[in-house]
Amino acid sequence: MKVWMECAGRKMHLMGRKLIGMGMRKEPGIDGILVTVGLCIIALLLCVVMKDSLKAFIETIVNAMTSEAQNILKGVSS
């Protein structure tokens, strides 16, 4: 009986390891593609919904960078 229990215990251990190995195995799938497409859809929705504020934000950044560049160029030419 003791030998049978040890044998059954080993088999259960091996089955558990095999099951864990099957669950942790990486398979080529569409998970990455779905995540990428989902993020692109979210980005598009944000661009559509926040179009005006995004435009104002970009204009503010461009104006600030332009004035900073002009100040730098004025300092170089002086």
Side-chain angles (χ1 to χ4, degrees):
M1 186 71 167
K2 184 177 180 182
V3 173
W4 182 83
M5 290 293 285
E6 288 176 2
C7 184
R10 279 192 218 120
K11 286 182 181 179
M12 291 295 286
H13 179 72
L14 289 174
M15 285 174 46
R17 288 184 59 159
K18 186 175 180 181
L19 185 64
I20 289 173
M22 287 172 52
M24 299 299 287
R25 182 178 60 211
K26 288 199 176 243
E27 296 182 10
I30 60 169
D31 291 343
I33 296 170
L34 290 176
V35 169
T36 305
V37 169
L39 289 174
C40 288
I41 290 171
I42 291 171
L44 280 171
L45 287 174
L46 283 174
C47 287
V48 168
V49 170
M50 301 180 68
K51 180 174 62 174
D52 296 330
S53 26
L54 189 60
K55 181 181 175 187
F57 177 71
I58 291 173
E59 286 176 353
T60 304
I61 290 175
V62 169
N63 290 335
M65 291 176 71
T66 302
S67 64
E68 186 66 29
Q70 288 172 348
N71 289 338
I72 291 171
L73 290 175
K74 285 179 186 175
V76 170
S77 63
S78 296

